[in-house]
Amino acid sequence: MRILVLNRFPLSSVRYREWIDGHELWLITSSSAVSEEAERRAAELAGFEEVVEIEAYSSSALLESHAHRLHREVAFDSVLAMSEFDLLRAARLRQDWNLPGQHPDSVIPYRDKHEMKRCLTERGIPVAEFDAVDDATGLLSFVRDSDLPVVVKPRRGASSEGVNVLRDSDELHEFLADGPLYGDHPAHLLAEKYIPNTMYNVDGIVVDGVIRVCWPSSTTSCLGFEDGANLVAAALEPDDPWCSELIGLVEAAVDALPTPATSIFHAEVFLTEDGELMLNEIGCRIGGAKVRDIIELAFGVDLVEWYVRALFSSGESRFAPPRRPMTQSGYVLVPPRPGTVSGIPPSCPVPGVAVYEPRVSSGERLGEPRSSIDCMVAIAATGSSRREVLTVLEQAAEWTENALDVR
């Protein structure tokens, strides 16, 4: 089989050549995904029939141009893509080349938040009141009918980029004055009623039509980065009173949407002040931040590796996760603060820290965080209880803030 791989992830963390046995692979990748050090770079790119690196990977149409050129030369049998920003591009290629896998009609309900919520509502999955907004009149009409506060966000955005909470008439006026609702081109936004909430993530994997892992974590607000707050998540314990209800809601959402027979999923769920669970969003891809790490720490399986192996029948039978976590896990992202990085500790001495990942380099000039996953350091931890994990994360974040030299 000849497989085209579209990749945004660091190649050090996605070993496609190792995971896919007996097939020929071509790679189109973000330049930033490849290590700069020559020996590591050579190892990461070894084994591919051809590699195309693209600088402005997420925003460049050259990706699809290169893909079509390669297909004319090679005639691919399959396209593999895992990043949220690649799902539709890969779907368009498959459809155009008449290949199996997700086509646009099954990706859009996961990628477009309006279509997602429309599909969920039709199947009785509770969501906040919502509507598509393409212009100022559309937003004002929604506010008239639903009242403030409202949330306005891109229909196909990610990582909380471009999300605006309009709490009062002054913030509405400011958004109308400076926001994207002008001109003759539709803005492709979603407006929804703001719901005060406790946030949960639910992450898992479907293999051959069966949900094999599905587990919730509590998380702080994804919009906290605007105020410089850490993003903190910790898996729920099996006896948590909301655990089974969260799992049931997300399993129903996976069933309601056109989910592939083999798929990773990442959901966000609100617990309202009235004690009602509402599905906020769900994607057919791995969660961001350190979701992949905390699932692996808790269940002993790498969802990304399992997904790739399952797609290409390459040793996926080795994965047999327990029904419940083997240990409690969680993560914290420490957002950047303005200044120049002068020193980066190579490790964190706090007991219980399992993953310590600096994401800035010495001499780098930092500004304010741009998204919920923008951070100086990402940390994952384990413990015997959720409370213990949260304590470790708090101590590790405090140590990092003091030890990381930003001036």
Side-chain angles (χ1 to χ4, degrees):
M1 184 180 291
R2 296 176 174 182
I3 303 167
L4 174 63
V5 179
L6 309 182
N7 176 70
R8 278 183 78 242
F9 301 150
L11 286 171
S12 59
S13 70
V14 279
R15 301 185 301 279
Y16 299 110
R17 188 63 277 172
E18 175 186 331
W19 298 341
I20 304 174
D21 297 329
H23 301 292
E24 297 174 284
L25 304 185
W26 281 255
L27 176 68
I28 300 179
T29 184
S30 168
S31 298
S32 63
V34 188
S35 295
E36 294 183 2
E37 195 272 319
E39 188 173 340
R40 292 179 61 188
R41 174 187 175 84
E44 291 167 0
L45 299 181
F48 292 100
E49 305 299 320
E50 183 174 338
V51 176
V52 177
E53 295 182 48
I54 298 178
E55 287 287 342
Y57 181 89
S58 297
S59 59
S60 176
L62 287 176
L63 183 150
E64 289 175 65
S65 176
H66 283 297
H68 283 284
R69 172 185 62 80
L70 290 171
H71 184 65
R72 288 193 298 271
E73 299 170 2
V74 173
F76 292 115
D77 302 297
S78 184
V79 179
L80 172 63
M82 290 185 290
S83 165
E84 185 160 25
F85 296 99
D86 284 338
L87 296 180
L88 263 176
R89 295 198 281 197
R92 289 192 292 264
L93 294 174
R94 294 189 197 101
Q95 180 170 266
D96 191 59
W97 302 341
N98 196 29
L99 298 182
Q102 280 187 295
H103 287 190
D105 60 348
S106 64
V107 172
I108 288 173
Y110 270 104
R111 189 71 186 94
D112 186 295
K113 302 179 197 310
H114 180 262
E115 286 302 300
M116 175 194 305
K117 290 175 184 277
R118 184 187 63 79
C119 292
L120 293 171
T121 300
E122 287 181 353
R123 293 289 296 272
I125 308 295
V127 300
E129 185 180 354
F130 70 96
D131 202 357
V133 168
D134 285 326
D135 48 52
T137 295
L139 176 58
L140 292 168
S141 175
F142 183 81
V143 169
R144 180 191 64 216
D145 295 339
S146 302
D147 206 359
L148 294 167
V150 301
V151 179
V152 183
K153 55 189 175 183
R155 288 171 58 169
R156 298 183 183 181
S159 303
S160 300
E161 292 188 43
V163 176
N164 292 269
V165 181
L166 310 179
R167 297 174 177 82
D168 53 38
S169 58
D170 289 341
E171 291 186 348
L172 173 61
H173 179 85
E174 183 178 350
F175 181 77
L176 291 172
D178 300 326
L181 296 174
Y182 60 88
D184 294 332
H185 299 289
H188 297 296
L189 300 177
L190 180 80
E192 57 188 5
K193 184 66 179 172
Y194 174 76
I195 306 293
N197 68 85
T198 299
M199 173 78 86
Y200 294 92
N201 290 335
V202 183
D203 295 277
I205 189 171
V206 182
V207 179
D208 294 332
V210 178
I211 295 177
R212 299 289 302 278
V213 173
C214 182
W215 204 260
S217 304
S218 64
T219 179
T220 55
S221 171
C222 291
L223 299 179
F225 75 90
E226 296 176 340
D227 300 316
N230 296 337
L231 180 63
V232 182
L236 297 192
E237 295 177 338
D239 61 355
D240 186 284
W242 289 106
C243 191
S244 62
E245 290 194 45
L246 285 160
I247 292 172
L249 177 65
V250 171
E251 288 182 342
V254 169
D255 183 62
L257 295 172
T259 306
T262 295
S263 177
I264 301 173
F265 58 86
H266 171 72
E268 297 176 356
V269 180
F270 293 153
L271 174 61
T272 72
E273 293 177 336
D274 296 328
E276 179 185 5
L277 291 178
M278 286 187 172
L279 200 118
N280 181 38
E281 297 175 8
I282 183 169
C284 56
R285 45 85 181 178
I286 192 69
K290 300 302 286 179
V291 165
R292 178 181 173 187
D293 295 80
I294 68 171
I295 293 293
E296 184 169 9
L297 290 168
F299 288 91
V301 294
D302 177 359
L303 295 186
V304 172
E305 179 182 356
W306 191 0
Y307 171 73
V308 173
R309 288 186 181 276
L311 282 179
F312 300 103
S313 302
S314 181
E316 74 277 9
S317 60
R318 72 183 65 188
F319 297 101
R323 293 184 60 83
R324 295 181 169 195
M326 300 178 296
T327 187
Q328 295 302 122
S329 59
Y331 69 78
V332 59
L333 304 186
V334 180
R337 57 180 186 263
T340 300
V341 180
S342 300
I344 310 168
S347 61
C348 177
V350 176
V353 169
V355 179
Y356 171 79
E357 184 180 290
R359 294 188 178 177
V360 295
S361 54
S362 185
E364 184 175 349
R365 181 71 181 174
L366 305 180
E368 300 291 346
R370 301 177 301 277
S371 74
S372 60
I373 59 172
D374 193 8
C375 66
M376 298 188 293
V377 174
I379 297 168
T382 60
S384 60
S385 67
R386 181 172 173 274
R387 182 185 296 275
E388 181 180 331
V389 169
L390 288 171
T391 298
V392 172
L393 294 174
E394 181 180 1
Q395 293 173 349
E398 183 178 359
W399 178 88
T400 298
E401 288 278 11
N402 293 329
L404 193 64
D405 190 0
V406 180
R407 303 178 182 179

